[in-house]
Amino acid sequence: EAQVTQNPRYLITVTGKKLTVTCSQNMNHEYMSWYRQDPGLGLRQIYYSMNVEVTDKGDVPEGYKVSRKEKRNFPLILESPSPNQTSLYFCASSSWGNQPQHFGDGTRLSIL
Amino acid sequence: AQTVTQSQPEMSVQEAETVTLSCTYDTSENNYYLFWYKQPPSRQMILVIRQEAYKQQNATENRFSVNFQKAAKSFSLKISDSQLGDTAMYFCAFMKHDNNDMRFGAGTRLTVKP
């Protein structure tokens, strides 16, 4: 089954404790992206990657890191999480040619 | 930068009736793509419909159709014969033709009432 898999689905943690949200897709997509969703703001792009070893900042990259060492994986790293990073996070992927993005099921992060 | 505006934070409709969700966008591009995504309480993001800017014909997917007005930069979604399962948050999104980056509106929360 074609899918984008994120883990964990839920996480409650404390300020300053490094965490990683994993994202994996099995569709051989070149493009992958991370978004955060906040009430009244819709989805805002954090980082994106057009291919292996190619990443770039989106609209709200501060406080986040990503890597793309393999085509299928695109982890999101919060080195020192803060309460303003409490949000719902989505990973998405797509092939080239203006294809719509396929989304993971979301990760609810709470930073206390 | 492109911006997408959904001016209706919340809407409601009676089951079996028709509802229209509004979306406007701002761009200087001539070629682009527009999408509507549905996010039910399960929070999955589900593609509802897609429109290519170079096509004059409005896209249709079963009970879902769009009214694409390129000159007005408007892209509304019409849901006919509303069903309880249509209750969800709906997001309008814009994509330029030369990359895969999407810009989303703030969303409209639709409630279908029995």
Side-chain angles (χ1 to χ4, degrees):
Chain A
E1 179 188 352
Q3 59 185 2
V4 178
T5 303
Q6 294 178 230
N7 280 297
R9 294 290 310 278
Y10 302 89
L11 179 62
I12 302 174
T13 188
V14 296
T15 299
K17 186 176 181 181
K18 180 181 178 180
L19 67 91
T20 299
V21 184
T22 63
C23 175
S24 180
Q25 50 94 5
N26 62 0
M27 295 168 279
N28 201 36
H29 286 163
E30 293 84 4
Y31 182 92
M32 297 187 74
S33 182
W34 276 102
Y35 298 89
R36 60 177 288 172
Q37 181 181 347
D38 301 290
L41 297 176
L43 279 77
R44 293 178 294 167
Q45 190 178 53
I46 303 170
Y47 269 94
Y48 65 96
S49 170
M50 293 187 287
N51 216 324
V52 176
E53 301 293 358
V54 179
T55 64
D56 211 341
K57 296 177 181 179
D59 294 327
V60 289
E62 295 77 19
Y64 305 94
K65 286 175 58 178
V66 294
S67 67
R68 188 93 182 271
K69 297 177 182 177
E70 306 167 279
K71 196 172 188 178
R72 63 183 292 126
N73 296 323
F74 190 46
L76 179 70
I77 304 158
L78 284 72
E79 293 273 2
S80 183
S82 62
N84 64 10
Q85 292 177 298
T86 291
S87 187
L88 176 60
Y89 291 84
F90 284 98
C91 179
S93 73
S94 64
S95 57
W96 282 117
N98 302 110
Q99 296 304 308
Q101 294 183 17
H102 298 257
F103 285 82
D105 288 341
T107 296
R108 173 75 67 186
L109 284 184
S110 295
I111 316 294
L112 304 178
Chain B
Q2 288 74 29
T3 58
V4 179
T5 302
Q6 293 179 249
S7 59
Q8 305 150 314
E10 294 188 12
M11 293 189 72
S12 64
V13 64
Q14 291 296 132
E15 194 175 7
E17 294 189 348
T18 295
V19 63
T20 298
L21 308 183
S22 301
C23 174
T24 59
Y25 56 93
D26 183 24
T27 185
S28 58
E29 302 285 329
N30 188 48
N31 294 325
Y32 50 86
Y33 300 81
L34 297 163
F35 306 86
W36 279 98
Y37 278 86
K38 169 185 177 181
Q39 186 181 49
S42 65
R43 80 187 190 204
Q44 291 175 299
M45 290 288 287
I46 302 165
L47 179 67
V48 175
I49 201 163
R50 163 191 169 138
Q51 174 80 42
E52 291 86 354
Y54 62 85
K55 289 187 178 179
Q56 292 185 337
Q57 186 173 4
N58 289 324
T60 300
E61 288 287 343
N62 300 315
R63 297 182 296 107
F64 298 88
S65 61
V66 298
N67 182 5
F68 173 49
Q69 301 290 329
K70 191 173 184 179
K73 296 180 183 176
S74 171
F75 182 60
S76 61
L77 174 70
K78 185 172 82 170
I79 306 174
S80 304
D81 186 24
S82 297
Q83 301 176 359
L84 297 178
D86 295 333
T87 291
M89 181 75 87
Y90 287 82
F91 292 101
C92 179
F94 172 99
M95 178 192 286
K96 288 169 61 177
H97 84 285
D98 58 354
N99 65 44
N100 281 37
D101 292 343
M102 275 186 166
R103 291 292 180 269
F104 288 85
T108 296
R109 184 174 301 280
L110 176 68
T111 301
V112 181
K113 298 180 178 179

